Amino acid sequence: MQLDTLKRAKDFSSIGYKVFHSEEIYDRERSHIFSGNLWNYVCLDVELAEPGSFITTYIGDIPVLVNRTMDGQLKAFENRCQHRGTKLRREARGKETTHTCVYHQWCYNLDGGLVGIPFARGKDGKGGLPPEFDRSSIKLREMKLATIHGVVFGSFGDDPPKLEDYLGPRVVELIGNLFYKPVKVLGYQRQRILGNWKLYNENVRDTNHGGLLHMFHATFGLARLSQEGGARLDGATRGHNTSYTTYGTDNESQRKDGYSQTKKVMQETFKLADPSILHFERELPGEESLVILSTFPNGVFQQISNSLCTRQIRPRGVDEMELYWTYYGFVDDTPEMAEHRRNQANLVGPGGLVSMEDGEAVQLVHEETKASPEAASRIIIGGLGEIKDSESLVTEMPLRGFWATYFKAMDL
Ligand code: FES
Ligand SMILES: [Fe+2]
């Protein structure tokens, strides 16, 4: 297969399904995207509170180890021993002064330098490392890090742009709103989705599906296409997207107008015995009750009412991905607000009332496009041509921004 035969419309309003199923493309994503000159979402600064704190994560499918050095700096490395390639740290998080590989016990300091090798000189002058071996030349492969409002991004590229320039001023401002005071992590969830990672990037930018796929959203009003809202597109080729809407901004006739076309999505007669999960207490500097910011290629930052979390997209081969959810609140939350956030954590995640269907939708597309790699999608809702902001939720414009950015990064 020739990569340059990938079928797509000039304005990215149609993408050939081959892009979701090709091993050759997946290999190129490793070098051009996940090791390219761009910035990936890594973690929150607060997850590494003390010297010696570490977490493990993935950028693409490259294993990554992030730690705080004894003098307080954050550093990140490929989580792979330089001896024979073993995963160095296997825990999700912890606190240590060194990292020792389980296989032959090579030991690294928090700056990624190799500091210990058992039996380096062998036994009684026999065996061991060759005399020309220079221990100081061995280092873990380092990833550059940059932090905005406590959100940590990383790049394996040699020459990434400044993070602020990569994200653009509106994204930087929004991250400032979502993390406007000291945060604390409330918990994590992980979700395996049997579909290509780019299908999830489409899904999360697809404001049009929010009030159509998700019955809970539409029925109880957390996100309806009849509400005020839209999408803001940022970055040089519009690869970052902010979808937003505000609870309670539609009326009965607007709802009926759109939803009368479909019988199953919005059920006016359905009621919740306990509606506390819908409660929205205004708290952040922005006006909206729902904000989903997606940063190219792997970050999602979410406010749904008072449920705050980040999502990290982790490809696991062509056919599979993991979604890693980090839920947070603020250090000064009242006990009632902390409880409310825990309650609203049920909205999202693998079994979430407004997100469980996303994994299923990704899988339905992935499975059924496998057999037809020459066919292509239609990304036409919201208009063709120039890729720009939308003042309506009935749009797929952000998907075209994703694809414009993707093909540029892939140099295809
Ligand atoms: S592979 Fe890590 S010490 Fe041998
Ligand atoms: Fe969704």
Side-chain angles (χ1 to χ4, degrees):
M1 188 201 78
Q2 293 292 308
L3 287 172
D4 59 11
T5 63
L6 274 176
K7 186 172 153 190
R8 60 190 189 268
K10 240 190 172 128
D11 65 355
F12 304 96
S13 59
S14 175
I15 304 291
Y17 295 132
K18 190 183 281 175
V19 78
F20 301 119
H21 301 289
S22 155
E23 292 286 348
E24 194 180 351
I25 289 170
Y26 188 78
D27 282 349
R28 195 177 173 96
E29 288 167 355
R30 280 204 190 95
S31 57
H32 283 64
I33 293 184
F34 298 109
S35 291
N37 283 318
L38 45 80
W39 291 98
N40 296 270
Y41 166 57
V42 178
C43 62
L44 301 180
D45 182 82
V46 72
E47 294 178 86
L48 298 124
E50 293 162 33
S53 300
F54 70 86
I55 61 136
T56 56
T57 181
Y58 286 89
I59 297 303
D61 56 11
I62 304 166
V64 167
L65 167 64
V66 190
N67 64 216
R68 194 173 291 282
T69 61
M70 297 323 269
D71 61 2
Q73 293 177 63
L74 273 194
K75 291 205 169 184
F77 311 98
E78 185 170 359
N79 187 16
R80 173 174 60 79
C81 179
Q82 292 291 310
H83 178 213
R84 297 247 301 280
T86 307
K87 186 173 192 177
L88 183 56
R89 271 283 171 206
R90 294 176 296 163
E91 307 94 317
R93 64 193 64 81
K95 199 177 149 196
E96 293 284 356
T97 52
T98 54
H99 304 295
T100 302
C101 178
V102 67
Y103 203 170
H104 317 91
Q105 308 287 316
W106 284 27
C107 176
Y108 301 85
N109 64 21
L110 303 180
D111 292 301
L114 179 62
V115 291
I117 303 179
F119 294 97
R121 286 190 292 277
K123 178 181 171 284
D124 302 332
K126 293 182 191 131
L129 288 158
E132 61 273 28
F133 177 77
D134 173 15
R135 195 162 70 185
S136 67
S137 69
I138 307 281
K139 276 197 169 286
L140 298 175
R141 179 189 176 207
E142 190 160 355
M143 182 170 73
K144 297 176 178 68
L145 293 179
T147 301
I148 283 184
H149 301 294
V151 181
V152 183
F153 290 83
S155 178
F156 278 117
D158 294 329
D159 190 22
K162 225 173 138 228
L163 175 60
E164 286 81 352
D165 296 340
Y166 176 73
L167 295 173
R170 292 193 302 188
V171 171
V172 171
E173 186 188 341
L174 177 55
I175 293 177
N177 286 355
L178 293 171
F179 296 87
Y180 82 110
K181 56 183 177 176
V183 304
K184 68 174 175 202
V185 172
L186 302 177
Y188 302 92
Q189 293 203 71
R190 292 193 303 160
Q191 176 176 7
R192 203 48 82 92
I193 297 177
L194 300 179
N196 186 270
W197 67 277
K198 299 184 292 297
L199 286 170
Y200 191 79
N201 262 293
E202 282 197 334
N203 171 275
V204 80
R205 285 170 176 76
D206 178 3
T207 60
N208 181 56
H209 90 282
L212 295 173
L213 173 69
H214 303 296
M215 188 183 185
F216 193 95
H217 253 334
T219 298
F220 299 114
L222 291 173
R224 282 191 198 120
L225 296 185
S226 42
Q227 289 168 344
E228 280 171 22
R232 286 190 293 267
L233 282 67
D234 284 286
T237 41
R238 308 279 178 260
H240 316 307
N241 172 61
T242 306
S243 299
Y244 57 92
T245 184
T246 308
Y247 190 60
T249 51
D250 57 350
N251 60 41
E252 204 183 320
S253 82
Q254 291 163 329
R255 286 200 296 271
K256 287 225 156 76
D257 195 32
Y259 284 101
S260 61
Q261 295 295 313
T262 168
K263 297 266 175 290
K264 294 206 177 113
V265 179
M266 192 178 150
Q267 302 286 347
E268 300 254 20
T269 55
F270 282 20
K271 295 274 174 296
L272 292 173
D274 175 1
S276 63
I277 198 162
L278 303 177
H279 179 68
F280 170 47
E281 197 159 317
R282 193 171 294 282
E283 55 170 343
L284 303 180
E287 288 298 306
E288 299 90 359
S289 61
L290 181 147
V291 175
I292 313 275
L293 163 66
S294 312
T295 59
F296 186 91
N298 75 332
V300 183
F301 305 89
Q302 163 218 303
Q303 173 214 348
I304 299 180
S305 298
N306 301 104
S307 171
L308 305 173
C309 79
T310 73
R311 311 175 198 172
Q312 189 192 45
I313 299 167
R314 302 175 172 180
R316 304 295 296 164
V318 169
D319 294 324
E320 196 171 316
M321 56 160 278
E322 185 177 277
L323 200 56
Y324 192 84
W325 305 74
T326 302
Y327 297 81
Y328 70 92
F330 296 108
V331 170
D332 64 358
D333 279 348
T334 61
E336 294 74 29
M337 180 52 100
E339 182 53 32
H340 180 46
R341 289 197 211 282
R342 275 193 289 277
N343 187 24
Q344 284 197 329
N346 291 299
L347 290 172
V348 293
L353 295 164
V354 299
S355 76
M356 153 169 76
E357 302 89 346
D358 292 319
E360 182 76 5
V362 164
Q363 195 166 329
L364 288 172
V365 178
H366 190 89
E367 275 301 307
E368 306 317 323
T369 55
K370 240 182 212 169
S372 303
E374 299 306 328
S377 60
R378 292 183 179 82
I379 311 176
I380 50 179
I381 299 172
L384 304 174
E386 190 194 351
I387 300 171
K388 54 183 199 282
D389 288 1
S390 166
E391 285 178 8
S392 160
L393 291 164
V394 190
T395 185
E396 294 170 323
M397 193 75 80
L399 279 72
R400 298 205 283 121
F402 171 81
W403 287 115
T405 307
Y406 173 83
F407 282 108
K408 181 153 194 290
M410 290 285 276
D411 199 14
L412 286 172

